[in-house]
Amino acid sequence: MTHGDDDHRARLPLTGERTVPGLDVENYWFRRHEAVYLALAPGCADAVVLDAGVGEGYGAALLARSARRVVGLELDPAVAAHVGARYPSVSTVRADLQAFPVADGSVDAVVNLQVIEHLWDQPGFLAECARVLRPGGRLHCATPNRLTFSPGAGPDDRPLNPFHTRELTGAELAALVADAGLAVESLAGLHHGPGLRELDARHGGSVIEAQIALALSGQAWPDQLAADVAGVTAGDFVLRDDDLDASLDLLVTAVPPA
């Protein structure tokens, strides 16, 4: 089953990690990411925004609806070409996220969603984020919460997800950001809202685990699960600053020192 533009599938293949819009089987993960972009969009209005690790590009394009300019950084040439072709509102630049091709103090906001857990030099990446921010600018960094994404894994354990190098708790993320010379302005967690909690109950306690089990087994999706996942919207997720340890994803916002 598909929804939206079918040509998304032809242009950028699934990797098992990068979320692609327009596929019902990916809809839960797409909406989970979209919810954070939507929450950040008002604060990025009229701003020069750097999306560090732009991925498929849908989030940068969402921010570009109201931002003055959005620049997306992406190392993979095929992905960068896709973003440039699919989203003309986003200026796409091929770049290593350990060394931004961006001048000091030149952007109003750095956005990086579901990026830092992939990087080997997380402190170096955050130092680059801090370097390019103007006074009064903001870093918005979102990442899976290790406590719920990899239950039982310790801070020094290699993540089970082969695409991840190091996953973080809220406290660890805040400490890394502070070590980069930024002041933490807020730290929030993304949670299931009432509708998704109902789906959790309907599908054995976790709609996430139900999807993962089917993906690993290769079995066909039951009609009810397929319909439920296809119907998820960004509004089914909520960002809160309480109960961080139980959150799905973490979102830190930080500012350069005054």
Short mmCIF file of all heavy atoms in Angstrom, two decimals, residues 48-53 71 73 96-117 119 121-142 173 176-183 252-257:
data_model
loop_
_atom_site.label_atom_id
_atom_site.label_comp_id
_atom_site.label_asym_id
_atom_site.label_seq_id
_atom_site.Cartn_x
_atom_site.Cartn_y
_atom_site.Cartn_z
N VAL A 48 17.71 31.70 8.63
CA VAL A 48 18.63 30.91 7.82
C VAL A 48 18.91 29.62 8.59
O VAL A 48 19.46 29.66 9.70
CB VAL A 48 19.94 31.67 7.54
CG1 VAL A 48 20.93 30.78 6.78
CG2 VAL A 48 19.65 32.95 6.76
N VAL A 49 18.50 28.51 8.01
CA VAL A 49 18.51 27.23 8.71
C VAL A 49 19.48 26.28 8.03
O VAL A 49 19.47 26.14 6.80
CB VAL A 49 17.10 26.61 8.74
CG1 VAL A 49 17.12 25.26 9.47
CG2 VAL A 49 16.10 27.55 9.38
N LEU A 50 20.29 25.59 8.82
CA LEU A 50 21.17 24.54 8.34
C LEU A 50 20.61 23.21 8.83
O LEU A 50 20.53 22.98 10.03
CB LEU A 50 22.58 24.75 8.87
CG LEU A 50 23.66 23.80 8.34
CD1 LEU A 50 23.95 24.06 6.88
CD2 LEU A 50 24.94 23.94 9.18
N ASP A 51 20.17 22.35 7.90
CA ASP A 51 19.73 21.01 8.25
C ASP A 51 20.92 20.08 8.05
O ASP A 51 21.25 19.71 6.92
CB ASP A 51 18.53 20.58 7.40
CG ASP A 51 17.85 19.33 7.92
OD1 ASP A 51 18.52 18.52 8.59
OD2 ASP A 51 16.64 19.16 7.67
N ALA A 52 21.57 19.74 9.13
CA ALA A 52 22.81 18.96 9.10
C ALA A 52 22.47 17.47 9.11
O ALA A 52 22.11 16.91 10.13
CB ALA A 52 23.69 19.32 10.29
N GLY A 53 22.59 16.85 7.94
CA GLY A 53 22.14 15.48 7.78
C GLY A 53 20.72 15.47 7.27
O GLY A 53 19.81 14.98 7.93
N VAL A 71 19.51 25.32 4.09
CA VAL A 71 20.63 24.62 3.46
C VAL A 71 20.70 23.22 4.06
O VAL A 71 20.76 23.06 5.28
CB VAL A 71 21.96 25.36 3.67
CG1 VAL A 71 23.12 24.58 3.05
CG2 VAL A 71 21.88 26.77 3.10
N LEU A 73 22.79 19.70 4.39
CA LEU A 73 24.09 19.04 4.24
C LEU A 73 23.89 17.53 4.15
O LEU A 73 23.18 16.94 4.97
CB LEU A 73 25.00 19.36 5.43
CG LEU A 73 25.31 20.84 5.70
CD1 LEU A 73 26.32 20.95 6.84
CD2 LEU A 73 25.84 21.54 4.45
N ASP A 96 30.79 16.58 4.72
CA ASP A 96 31.04 15.73 5.88
C ASP A 96 30.53 16.48 7.11
O ASP A 96 30.87 17.65 7.31
CB ASP A 96 32.54 15.47 6.00
CG ASP A 96 32.90 14.50 7.10
OD1 ASP A 96 32.12 14.34 8.05
OD2 ASP A 96 34.00 13.91 7.03
N LEU A 97 29.76 15.81 7.93
CA LEU A 97 29.18 16.48 9.09
C LEU A 97 30.19 16.72 10.21
O LEU A 97 29.85 17.29 11.24
CB LEU A 97 27.99 15.68 9.63
CG LEU A 97 26.79 15.59 8.69
CD1 LEU A 97 25.62 14.92 9.39
CD2 LEU A 97 26.39 16.96 8.18
N GLN A 98 31.42 16.32 10.01
CA GLN A 98 32.46 16.65 10.99
C GLN A 98 33.16 17.95 10.62
O GLN A 98 33.95 18.46 11.43
CB GLN A 98 33.50 15.51 11.07
CG GLN A 98 32.92 14.12 11.21
CD GLN A 98 32.08 13.91 12.47
OE1 GLN A 98 31.14 13.14 12.48
NE2 GLN A 98 32.41 14.59 13.54
N ALA A 99 32.85 18.49 9.44
CA ALA A 99 33.49 19.75 9.01
C ALA A 99 32.53 20.46 8.07
O ALA A 99 32.56 20.23 6.85
CB ALA A 99 34.82 19.47 8.33
N PHE A 100 31.69 21.32 8.60
CA PHE A 100 30.69 22.02 7.79
C PHE A 100 31.38 23.03 6.85
O PHE A 100 32.24 23.80 7.30
CB PHE A 100 29.72 22.81 8.66
CG PHE A 100 28.89 22.00 9.62
CD1 PHE A 100 28.14 22.65 10.59
CD2 PHE A 100 28.83 20.62 9.56
CE1 PHE A 100 27.36 21.94 11.48
CE2 PHE A 100 28.06 19.89 10.45
CZ PHE A 100 27.33 20.55 11.42
N PRO A 101 30.98 23.08 5.58
CA PRO A 101 31.50 24.11 4.68
C PRO A 101 30.70 25.41 4.84
O PRO A 101 30.15 25.96 3.89
CB PRO A 101 31.28 23.48 3.29
CG PRO A 101 30.04 22.66 3.47
CD PRO A 101 30.10 22.12 4.88
N VAL A 102 30.67 25.90 6.07
CA VAL A 102 29.84 27.04 6.45
C VAL A 102 30.67 27.99 7.31
O VAL A 102 31.43 27.53 8.19
CB VAL A 102 28.59 26.57 7.24
CG1 VAL A 102 27.74 27.75 7.68
CG2 VAL A 102 27.76 25.59 6.40
N ALA A 103 30.53 29.28 7.09
CA ALA A 103 31.31 30.27 7.83
C ALA A 103 30.88 30.35 9.29
O ALA A 103 29.73 30.04 9.64
CB ALA A 103 31.16 31.64 7.17
N ASP A 104 31.79 30.77 10.14
CA ASP A 104 31.48 30.98 11.56
C ASP A 104 30.31 31.96 11.70
O ASP A 104 30.23 32.97 10.98
CB ASP A 104 32.68 31.57 12.29
CG ASP A 104 33.86 30.63 12.36
OD1 ASP A 104 33.76 29.49 11.84
OD2 ASP A 104 34.90 31.03 12.93
N GLY A 105 29.42 31.67 12.64
CA GLY A 105 28.36 32.60 13.00
C GLY A 105 27.48 33.03 11.84
O GLY A 105 27.08 34.19 11.77
N SER A 106 27.14 32.10 10.95
CA SER A 106 26.44 32.49 9.72
C SER A 106 25.00 31.99 9.62
O SER A 106 24.32 32.33 8.65
CB SER A 106 27.22 32.01 8.50
OG SER A 106 27.37 30.61 8.52
N VAL A 107 24.54 31.19 10.59
CA VAL A 107 23.18 30.66 10.48
C VAL A 107 22.40 30.94 11.77
O VAL A 107 22.97 31.07 12.86
CB VAL A 107 23.16 29.15 10.16
CG1 VAL A 107 23.86 28.86 8.85
CG2 VAL A 107 23.79 28.34 11.28
N ASP A 108 21.09 31.02 11.62
CA ASP A 108 20.21 31.28 12.76
C ASP A 108 19.83 30.02 13.50
O ASP A 108 19.53 30.07 14.71
CB ASP A 108 18.92 31.98 12.28
CG ASP A 108 19.20 33.29 11.59
OD1 ASP A 108 19.86 34.15 12.20
OD2 ASP A 108 18.78 33.45 10.43
N ALA A 109 19.76 28.90 12.79
CA ALA A 109 19.35 27.65 13.42
C ALA A 109 20.06 26.49 12.76
O ALA A 109 20.19 26.44 11.53
CB ALA A 109 17.84 27.47 13.32
N VAL A 110 20.53 25.56 13.57
CA VAL A 110 21.04 24.28 13.09
C VAL A 110 20.06 23.21 13.55
O VAL A 110 19.77 23.10 14.75
CB VAL A 110 22.45 23.96 13.61
CG1 VAL A 110 22.90 22.59 13.11
CG2 VAL A 110 23.45 25.02 13.19
N VAL A 111 19.54 22.46 12.60
CA VAL A 111 18.61 21.38 12.88
C VAL A 111 19.29 20.08 12.51
O VAL A 111 19.82 19.94 11.41
CB VAL A 111 17.31 21.57 12.07
CG1 VAL A 111 16.40 20.35 12.21
CG2 VAL A 111 16.58 22.84 12.50
N ASN A 112 19.28 19.12 13.43
CA ASN A 112 19.76 17.78 13.08
C ASN A 112 18.91 16.76 13.81
O ASN A 112 18.98 16.62 15.02
CB ASN A 112 21.26 17.61 13.33
CG ASN A 112 21.72 18.11 14.66
OD1 ASN A 112 21.85 17.36 15.60
ND2 ASN A 112 21.97 19.41 14.77
N LEU A 113 18.10 16.09 13.04
CA LEU A 113 17.14 15.13 13.58
C LEU A 113 17.54 13.71 13.18
O LEU A 113 17.74 13.44 11.99
CB LEU A 113 15.72 15.43 13.06
CG LEU A 113 14.90 16.45 13.87
CD1 LEU A 113 15.63 17.78 14.04
CD2 LEU A 113 13.53 16.66 13.23
N GLN A 114 17.69 12.88 14.19
CA GLN A 114 18.06 11.47 13.97
C GLN A 114 19.39 11.38 13.21
O GLN A 114 19.53 10.61 12.27
CB GLN A 114 16.95 10.74 13.21
CG GLN A 114 15.56 10.97 13.74
CD GLN A 114 15.38 10.51 15.19
OE1 GLN A 114 15.94 9.48 15.58
NE2 GLN A 114 14.61 11.23 15.98
N VAL A 115 20.36 12.17 13.66
CA VAL A 115 21.67 12.24 13.00
C VAL A 115 22.79 11.85 13.95
O VAL A 115 23.64 11.02 13.62
CB VAL A 115 21.92 13.67 12.46
CG1 VAL A 115 23.38 13.84 12.02
CG2 VAL A 115 20.98 13.99 11.32
N ILE A 116 22.80 12.44 15.14
CA ILE A 116 23.97 12.34 16.01
C ILE A 116 24.28 10.89 16.40
O ILE A 116 25.45 10.52 16.59
CB ILE A 116 23.81 13.24 17.25
CG1 ILE A 116 25.16 13.42 17.95
CG2 ILE A 116 22.73 12.72 18.19
CD1 ILE A 116 25.14 14.49 19.03
N GLU A 117 23.27 10.04 16.47
CA GLU A 117 23.50 8.65 16.86
C GLU A 117 24.27 7.88 15.78
O GLU A 117 24.76 6.77 16.04
CB GLU A 117 22.16 7.95 17.15
CG GLU A 117 21.24 7.76 15.96
CD GLU A 117 20.36 8.96 15.69
OE1 GLU A 117 20.56 10.03 16.31
OE2 GLU A 117 19.46 8.82 14.83
N LEU A 119 27.01 9.18 14.22
CA LEU A 119 28.33 9.78 14.05
C LEU A 119 29.35 9.23 15.05
O LEU A 119 29.04 9.01 16.22
CB LEU A 119 28.23 11.30 14.21
CG LEU A 119 27.25 12.00 13.26
CD1 LEU A 119 27.21 13.48 13.55
CD2 LEU A 119 27.62 11.74 11.81
N ASP A 121 32.23 10.92 15.84
CA ASP A 121 32.75 12.04 16.63
C ASP A 121 31.60 12.98 17.00
O ASP A 121 31.43 14.04 16.41
CB ASP A 121 33.82 12.79 15.82
CG ASP A 121 34.48 13.91 16.62
OD1 ASP A 121 34.19 14.04 17.84
OD2 ASP A 121 35.28 14.68 16.03
N GLN A 122 30.82 12.58 17.98
CA GLN A 122 29.68 13.40 18.38
C GLN A 122 30.10 14.73 18.97
O GLN A 122 29.51 15.77 18.63
CB GLN A 122 28.80 12.61 19.35
CG GLN A 122 28.13 11.41 18.68
CD GLN A 122 27.34 10.54 19.65
OE1 GLN A 122 27.48 10.66 20.88
NE2 GLN A 122 26.52 9.66 19.11
N PRO A 123 31.14 14.80 19.83
CA PRO A 123 31.58 16.12 20.32
C PRO A 123 32.04 17.04 19.20
O PRO A 123 31.75 18.24 19.21
CB PRO A 123 32.72 15.77 21.28
CG PRO A 123 32.42 14.37 21.73
CD PRO A 123 31.85 13.70 20.53
N GLY A 124 32.78 16.48 18.22
CA GLY A 124 33.23 17.31 17.10
C GLY A 124 32.08 17.84 16.27
O GLY A 124 32.09 18.99 15.82
N PHE A 125 31.07 17.02 16.08
CA PHE A 125 29.88 17.45 15.34
C PHE A 125 29.18 18.59 16.06
O PHE A 125 28.82 19.61 15.46
CB PHE A 125 28.94 16.25 15.20
CG PHE A 125 27.56 16.60 14.70
CD1 PHE A 125 27.37 17.05 13.41
CD2 PHE A 125 26.47 16.45 15.53
CE1 PHE A 125 26.09 17.35 12.95
CE2 PHE A 125 25.20 16.74 15.09
CZ PHE A 125 25.00 17.19 13.79
N LEU A 126 29.01 18.47 17.37
CA LEU A 126 28.32 19.53 18.13
C LEU A 126 29.17 20.80 18.17
O LEU A 126 28.61 21.91 18.17
CB LEU A 126 28.01 19.03 19.53
CG LEU A 126 26.90 17.97 19.60
CD1 LEU A 126 26.80 17.38 21.00
CD2 LEU A 126 25.55 18.53 19.17
N ALA A 127 30.48 20.65 18.19
CA ALA A 127 31.34 21.84 18.14
C ALA A 127 31.15 22.58 16.82
O ALA A 127 31.16 23.82 16.79
CB ALA A 127 32.80 21.44 18.33
N GLU A 128 30.98 21.84 15.73
CA GLU A 128 30.71 22.47 14.44
C GLU A 128 29.35 23.19 14.45
O GLU A 128 29.20 24.29 13.92
CB GLU A 128 30.73 21.43 13.32
CG GLU A 128 32.11 21.07 12.84
CD GLU A 128 32.76 22.24 12.13
OE1 GLU A 128 32.59 22.39 10.91
OE2 GLU A 128 33.44 23.04 12.81
N CYS A 129 28.35 22.55 15.07
CA CYS A 129 27.04 23.19 15.19
C CYS A 129 27.17 24.52 15.94
O CYS A 129 26.61 25.54 15.53
CB CYS A 129 26.07 22.27 15.92
SG CYS A 129 25.64 20.75 15.03
N ALA A 130 27.92 24.50 17.04
CA ALA A 130 28.10 25.72 17.83
C ALA A 130 28.86 26.78 17.04
O ALA A 130 28.55 27.98 17.12
CB ALA A 130 28.84 25.39 19.13
N ARG A 131 29.84 26.36 16.26
CA ARG A 131 30.67 27.31 15.52
C ARG A 131 29.88 28.14 14.52
O ARG A 131 30.12 29.34 14.36
CB ARG A 131 31.79 26.54 14.78
CG ARG A 131 32.68 27.43 13.93
CD ARG A 131 33.72 26.62 13.15
NE ARG A 131 33.13 25.75 12.15
CZ ARG A 131 32.71 26.14 10.95
NH1 ARG A 131 32.80 27.43 10.60
NH2 ARG A 131 32.19 25.28 10.08
N VAL A 132 28.93 27.52 13.85
CA VAL A 132 28.25 28.21 12.75
C VAL A 132 27.05 29.02 13.20
O VAL A 132 26.48 29.78 12.40
CB VAL A 132 27.81 27.21 11.65
CG1 VAL A 132 29.02 26.45 11.12
CG2 VAL A 132 26.75 26.24 12.15
N LEU A 133 26.66 28.90 14.48
CA LEU A 133 25.49 29.64 14.96
C LEU A 133 25.82 31.11 15.22
O LEU A 133 26.86 31.44 15.80
CB LEU A 133 24.96 29.02 16.25
CG LEU A 133 24.12 27.75 16.11
CD1 LEU A 133 23.84 27.17 17.48
CD2 LEU A 133 22.81 28.03 15.37
N ARG A 134 24.90 31.97 14.82
CA ARG A 134 25.00 33.39 15.16
C ARG A 134 24.64 33.58 16.63
O ARG A 134 23.95 32.74 17.23
CB ARG A 134 24.02 34.20 14.31
CG ARG A 134 24.39 34.26 12.85
CD ARG A 134 23.33 35.02 12.05
NE ARG A 134 23.71 35.11 10.65
CZ ARG A 134 22.86 35.08 9.63
NH1 ARG A 134 21.57 34.96 9.87
NH2 ARG A 134 23.30 35.17 8.40
N PRO A 135 25.06 34.69 17.24
CA PRO A 135 24.57 35.00 18.59
C PRO A 135 23.04 35.03 18.59
O PRO A 135 22.42 35.62 17.70
CB PRO A 135 25.15 36.40 18.86
CG PRO A 135 26.38 36.46 18.00
CD PRO A 135 26.04 35.68 16.75
N GLY A 136 22.46 34.35 19.54
CA GLY A 136 21.00 34.25 19.58
C GLY A 136 20.44 33.13 18.74
O GLY A 136 19.22 32.90 18.75
N GLY A 137 21.31 32.42 18.00
CA GLY A 137 20.85 31.29 17.20
C GLY A 137 20.55 30.08 18.08
O GLY A 137 20.81 30.08 19.29
N ARG A 138 20.00 29.03 17.45
CA ARG A 138 19.61 27.86 18.22
C ARG A 138 19.99 26.56 17.52
O ARG A 138 19.83 26.43 16.30
CB ARG A 138 18.09 27.86 18.48
CG ARG A 138 17.71 28.77 19.63
CD ARG A 138 16.21 28.91 19.80
NE ARG A 138 15.92 29.65 21.02
CZ ARG A 138 16.05 30.97 21.15
NH1 ARG A 138 16.49 31.69 20.13
NH2 ARG A 138 15.78 31.57 22.30
N LEU A 139 20.47 25.63 18.32
CA LEU A 139 20.68 24.26 17.88
C LEU A 139 19.46 23.43 18.31
O LEU A 139 19.04 23.50 19.47
CB LEU A 139 21.93 23.69 18.53
CG LEU A 139 22.09 22.16 18.46
CD1 LEU A 139 22.33 21.70 17.04
CD2 LEU A 139 23.22 21.70 19.39
N HIS A 140 18.92 22.66 17.37
CA HIS A 140 17.84 21.72 17.66
C HIS A 140 18.33 20.33 17.28
O HIS A 140 18.53 20.04 16.09
CB HIS A 140 16.58 22.06 16.87
CG HIS A 140 16.08 23.46 17.06
ND1 HIS A 140 15.48 23.89 18.22
CD2 HIS A 140 16.10 24.53 16.21
CE1 HIS A 140 15.14 25.16 18.09
NE2 HIS A 140 15.51 25.57 16.89
N CYS A 141 18.54 19.48 18.26
CA CYS A 141 19.12 18.16 18.03
C CYS A 141 18.19 17.09 18.59
O CYS A 141 17.91 17.08 19.80
CB CYS A 141 20.50 18.07 18.68
SG CYS A 141 21.31 16.47 18.50
N ALA A 142 17.72 16.20 17.73
CA ALA A 142 16.84 15.11 18.16
C ALA A 142 17.51 13.78 17.89
O ALA A 142 18.21 13.60 16.88
CB ALA A 142 15.50 15.19 17.42
N LEU A 173 22.83 13.47 26.37
CA LEU A 173 22.70 14.44 25.28
C LEU A 173 22.91 15.86 25.78
O LEU A 173 23.66 16.64 25.17
CB LEU A 173 21.31 14.30 24.65
CG LEU A 173 20.97 15.30 23.53
CD1 LEU A 173 21.94 15.18 22.36
CD2 LEU A 173 19.52 15.09 23.07
N LEU A 176 26.65 16.48 26.47
CA LEU A 176 27.43 16.65 25.24
C LEU A 176 27.25 18.05 24.67
O LEU A 176 28.22 18.69 24.22
CB LEU A 176 27.00 15.61 24.19
CG LEU A 176 27.65 14.24 24.25
CD1 LEU A 176 27.02 13.34 23.18
CD2 LEU A 176 29.16 14.33 24.02
N VAL A 177 26.00 18.51 24.65
CA VAL A 177 25.71 19.85 24.13
C VAL A 177 26.41 20.91 24.98
O VAL A 177 27.01 21.86 24.45
CB VAL A 177 24.19 20.07 24.07
CG1 VAL A 177 23.86 21.53 23.80
CG2 VAL A 177 23.57 19.18 23.00
N ALA A 178 26.35 20.77 26.29
CA ALA A 178 27.00 21.73 27.17
C ALA A 178 28.52 21.72 26.98
O ALA A 178 29.17 22.77 26.99
CB ALA A 178 26.65 21.43 28.62
N ASP A 179 29.09 20.53 26.77
CA ASP A 179 30.53 20.43 26.56
C ASP A 179 30.95 21.11 25.27
O ASP A 179 32.13 21.50 25.12
CB ASP A 179 30.95 18.96 26.52
CG ASP A 179 30.93 18.30 27.89
OD1 ASP A 179 30.85 19.03 28.90
OD2 ASP A 179 30.97 17.05 27.94
N ALA A 180 30.03 21.26 24.32
CA ALA A 180 30.33 21.95 23.06
C ALA A 180 30.25 23.46 23.22
O ALA A 180 30.45 24.20 22.24
CB ALA A 180 29.38 21.49 21.97
N GLY A 181 29.96 23.95 24.43
CA GLY A 181 29.92 25.37 24.68
C GLY A 181 28.57 26.01 24.49
O GLY A 181 28.47 27.24 24.42
N LEU A 182 27.51 25.20 24.43
CA LEU A 182 26.16 25.71 24.26
C LEU A 182 25.38 25.57 25.55
O LEU A 182 25.60 24.64 26.34
CB LEU A 182 25.44 24.96 23.14
CG LEU A 182 26.05 25.11 21.74
CD1 LEU A 182 25.46 24.07 20.79
CD2 LEU A 182 25.81 26.52 21.21
N ALA A 183 24.45 26.49 25.77
CA ALA A 183 23.60 26.45 26.96
C ALA A 183 22.29 25.77 26.60
O ALA A 183 21.60 26.18 25.65
CB ALA A 183 23.34 27.86 27.47
N VAL A 252 16.76 18.32 22.17
CA VAL A 252 17.41 19.37 22.94
C VAL A 252 17.49 20.63 22.08
O VAL A 252 17.79 20.56 20.89
CB VAL A 252 18.81 18.95 23.43
CG1 VAL A 252 19.77 18.73 22.28
CG2 VAL A 252 19.37 19.96 24.42
N THR A 253 17.21 21.76 22.69
CA THR A 253 17.41 23.06 22.06
C THR A 253 18.43 23.82 22.90
O THR A 253 18.31 23.87 24.12
CB THR A 253 16.08 23.84 21.97
OG1 THR A 253 15.21 23.16 21.08
CG2 THR A 253 16.32 25.26 21.43
N ALA A 254 19.45 24.36 22.24
CA ALA A 254 20.54 25.01 22.96
C ALA A 254 20.97 26.27 22.22
O ALA A 254 20.76 26.40 21.00
CB ALA A 254 21.72 24.07 23.12
N VAL A 255 21.57 27.20 22.96
CA VAL A 255 21.96 28.49 22.41
C VAL A 255 23.42 28.77 22.72
O VAL A 255 23.97 28.27 23.70
CB VAL A 255 21.08 29.63 23.00
CG1 VAL A 255 19.62 29.42 22.60
CG2 VAL A 255 21.21 29.68 24.52
N PRO A 256 24.08 29.59 21.88
CA PRO A 256 25.44 30.01 22.19
C PRO A 256 25.45 30.86 23.46
O PRO A 256 24.44 31.46 23.83
CB PRO A 256 25.85 30.83 20.97
CG PRO A 256 24.87 30.51 19.90
CD PRO A 256 23.60 30.15 20.61
N PRO A 257 26.59 30.92 24.14
CA PRO A 257 26.66 31.77 25.34
C PRO A 257 26.43 33.22 24.99
O PRO A 257 26.79 33.70 23.91
CB PRO A 257 28.09 31.54 25.85
CG PRO A 257 28.86 31.00 24.67
CD PRO A 257 27.87 30.25 23.85
#
